[in-house]
Amino acid sequence: MTASGAAMVFLFRKQSSRSLQRVLLGFAAGVMIAASMWSLLIPAIEEAEAMGMPGWLPAAGGSVLGIVFLLSMDYLLPHFTPESFHCKEGETSRRRTALLVLAVTLHNIPEGMAVGISFALAAHSGDPSLLPAATALAMGIGIQNFPEGAAISLPLHQEGMGRRKAFLIGAASGVVEPIFALLTVLAAGAIQPLLPWLLSFAAGAMLYVVVEELIPEANLTEGGHTGTLGVMAGFLIMMILDVALG
């Protein structure tokens, strides 16, 4: 889905609409907000209570750890903002592109972990209702990755990068997700007591990306309500997926 979104770079001969970019980023934000609540935090609370601990403890503690993780990354890497696509003084285009891709890729790690943790939880708990819920999360993350891929490739092309290279960079930013999903599933058996914390970690990290990166980039206070409508659409679609399947 990330590659499909990045392929939108081949559909635009000139600069893409800023309104379209606001809608895409807003939609991604809405999906991630709903996924954090229904697919990550609520299961984390329920799993913690089943283990005999206060549900709020791993939900809050894991979220804080996820926020601190990405906050520390932001001190080391550039933010995903329009300025990130411009070369700073003394900075080569190749180095700038490498830093940008690394920053976006690191932000995709929690999404892959979230999918892996959800399927691991479904496998270990034996609750048949958790498998459809994990599937809903995977579908929601996939839908969210479409505008995310476009949000990377389109600005890169507008800054002068070739279509093919912009597409490859946009698609490559999503490769880390299935890798970390698989690694999380393989490790889940040994760290089952930590599942509530890991679910909350992914939720906190995803919410941090929404508040710090996606919503500000959607320019919700400029150019009408396109970004806001994108957030609402993404939230509703992900909520329906999760509730209907879970």
Side-chain angles (χ1 to χ4, degrees):
M1 290 297 288
T2 304
S4 298
M8 290 185 66
V9 73
F10 296 108
L11 302 180
F12 293 92
R13 295 185 178 181
K14 297 180 180 180
Q15 288 195 352
S16 60
S17 168
R18 186 69 183 105
S19 295
L20 174 62
Q21 293 185 37
R22 284 196 294 266
V23 170
L24 293 175
L25 290 167
F27 184 86
V31 169
M32 293 176 73
I33 292 172
S36 297
M37 294 299 299
W38 271 274
S39 298
L40 296 174
L41 284 177
I42 292 177
I45 293 172
E46 294 175 348
E47 183 71 9
E49 291 177 345
M51 294 179 179
M53 70 176 74
W56 61 266
L57 181 59
S63 296
V64 170
L65 292 176
I67 293 168
V68 170
F69 171 74
L70 285 189
L71 185 63
S72 63
M73 292 299 100
D74 280 338
Y75 281 108
L76 302 176
L77 299 166
H79 288 284
F80 182 27
T81 62
E83 290 75 18
S84 302
F85 296 96
H86 297 278
C87 294
K88 299 179 181 179
E89 184 178 355
E91 184 177 45
T92 65
S93 176
R94 180 176 297 180
R95 180 176 181 272
R96 180 262 302 171
T97 300
L99 285 173
L100 176 62
V101 174
L102 182 58
V104 175
T105 300
L106 283 173
H107 286 174
N108 282 336
I109 290 176
E111 296 176 16
M113 290 179 61
V115 175
I117 292 169
S118 296
F119 277 98
L121 180 61
H124 286 286
S125 68
D127 186 347
S129 67
L130 291 180
L131 182 58
T135 303
L137 175 62
M139 292 173 62
I141 294 295
I143 293 171
Q144 177 265 329
N145 281 338
F146 184 90
E148 192 173 75
I152 296 173
S153 64
L154 292 176
L156 287 176
H157 176 58
Q158 291 168 12
E159 288 299 318
M161 184 176 291
R163 295 179 191 272
R164 183 174 299 179
K165 185 176 180 181
F167 163 73
L168 291 175
I169 290 176
S173 68
V175 171
V176 69
E177 291 190 25
I179 294 175
F180 271 83
L182 179 60
L183 291 176
T184 303
V185 169
L186 294 176
I191 57 175
Q192 187 175 1
L194 297 178
L195 282 178
W197 293 85
L198 293 176
L199 285 163
S200 302
F201 176 91
M206 289 172 64
L207 288 174
Y208 178 89
V209 172
V210 169
V211 176
E212 179 75 4
E213 311 275 351
L214 297 180
I215 288 181
E217 272 299 285
N219 285 331
L220 302 185
T221 58
E222 299 179 11
H225 304 288
T226 54
T228 301
L229 293 176
V231 173
M232 296 299 100
F235 181 87
L236 290 173
I237 288 174
M238 183 61 206
M239 180 185 66
I240 292 172
L241 280 174
D242 202 312
V243 175
L245 294 179

